[in-house]
């Protein structure tokens, strides 16, 4: 009996499997149609200079201790138009901004005491929606990454300092040229007055010519009467 029931059980299982795999051809339309939405990150007009995985800390002055801001990728982004470079770091899972500040000429990065994988720097950060003077500490998984970060940050800071000086010199030169242009334009404004006076003289001469023409005409008329 056992040998006869086992095949029957297998056949029933095969029938059920075939019924489950059968395609009915029915199509169910979605209740709500979702449209694609373009998501902007604010990095579309920037080129990445550096992108490294790290963990960021900030110094809490009130508690006199370091507090973790989050772990993720720290980036140095250069704007395609202005050439400004900023540091941007987001948390890996939530994508919340941990740090967001410009790299200017006066920024300096130093190795954290007692740890070759970490470095510290001061910056005016805008991660929380308002400028705050923060002391940051960043830790990398490898010493080489920390050295690369420090070297790149220093090079960018120096280049930004040179650009600020060039922009200042350019603005000063533009101001001087503007003053010179204004000074040269002043005598040009007096020329229309001279032209006006000349026009008056010309009008006066025309009047005198008209008087002479009238005198000649009157004389000619007298001659004609005398002849008659």
């Amino acid at each position: 009996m056992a040998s006869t029931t086992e095949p029957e059980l297998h056949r029933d299982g095969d029938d059920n499997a075939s019924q489950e795999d059968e395609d009915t051809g029915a199509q169910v339309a979605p209740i709500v149609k979702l449209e694609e939405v373009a998501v902007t990150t604010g990095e579309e007009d920037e080129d990445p200079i550096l992108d490294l995985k790290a963990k960021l800390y900030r110094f809490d002055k009130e508690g006199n201790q370091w507090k973790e801001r989050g772990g993720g990728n720290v980036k140095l982004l250069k704007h395609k138009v202005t050439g400004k470079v900023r540091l941007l770091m987001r948390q890996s899972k939530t994508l919340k901004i941990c740090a967001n500040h410009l790299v200017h000429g006066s920024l300096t990065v130093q190795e954290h005491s007692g740890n070759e994988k970490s470095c510290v720097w001061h910056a005016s950060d805008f991660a929380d929606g308002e400028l705050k003077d923060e002391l940051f500490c960043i830790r990398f998984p490898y010493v080489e990454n920390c050295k690369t970060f420090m070297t790149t940050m220093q090079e960018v800071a120096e280049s930004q300092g040179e650009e600020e000086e060039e922009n200042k010199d350019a603005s000063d030169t533009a101001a001087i040229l503007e003053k010179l242009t204004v000074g040269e334009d002043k005598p040009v404004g007096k020329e229309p007055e001279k032209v006006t006076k000349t026009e008056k003289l010309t009008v006066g001469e025309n009047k005198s010519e008209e008087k002479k023409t009238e005198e000649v005409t009157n004389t000619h008329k007298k001659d004609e009467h005398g002849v008659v």
Side-chain angles (χ1 to χ4, degrees), residues 208-221:
S208 61
E209 289 178 0
E210 290 176 358
K211 289 180 180 180
K212 290 179 181 180
T213 304
E214 291 176 358
E215 291 177 356
V216 172
T217 305
N218 294 332
T219 306
H220 181 67
K221 288 182 178 179

Side-chain angles (χ1 to χ4, degrees), residues 168-186:
K168 184 178 180 182
D169 295 339
S171 60
D172 293 342
T173 304
I176 293 172
L177 292 175
E178 185 178 359
K179 291 179 181 179
L180 290 175
T181 305
V182 173
E184 292 173 356
D185 290 342
K186 288 181 179 179

Side-chain angles (χ1 to χ4, degrees), residues 84-153:
K84 298 291 184 182
V85 179
R86 65 167 176 155
L87 182 145
L88 178 66
M89 185 171 180
R90 299 176 183 270
Q91 292 181 2
S92 58
K93 295 182 179 180
T94 62
L95 299 180
K96 182 181 178 181
I97 297 177
C98 305
N100 181 22
H101 64 80
L102 290 174
V103 180
H104 48 78
S106 60
L107 189 145
T108 57
V109 184
Q110 298 178 352
E111 182 180 320
H112 190 49
S113 58
N115 194 340
E116 296 180 354
K117 298 180 182 180
S118 303
C119 55
V120 295
W121 73 94
H122 281 278
S124 296
D125 187 65
F126 197 74
D128 296 331
E130 58 180 356
L131 285 176
K132 292 182 181 179
D133 187 16
E134 299 282 5
L135 174 61
F136 288 115
C137 176
I138 193 167
R139 186 176 67 188
F140 296 91
Y142 306 104
V143 178
E144 293 77 9
N145 291 2
C146 184
K147 291 182 179 179
T148 301
F149 176 80
M150 292 178 63
T151 303
T152 307
M153 282 277 284

Side-chain angles (χ1 to χ4, degrees), residues 20 31 58 65 95 118 123 136 162-163 181 206:
E20 291 178 358
I31 299 174
R58 74 171 186 88
Q65 61 181 349
L95 299 180
S118 303
F136 288 115
E162 292 175 358
E163 290 181 0
T181 305
N206 292 335

Side-chain angles (χ1 to χ4, degrees), residues 7 40 54 59 64 66 68 70 72 74 114 121 128 153 165 168 185 189 207 210 221:
T40 57
F59 188 75
N64 195 24
W66 290 101
E68 181 178 343
V74 58
W121 73 94
D128 296 331
M153 282 277 284
E165 291 178 358
K168 184 178 180 182
D185 290 342
K207 288 182 178 179
E210 290 176 358
K221 288 182 178 179

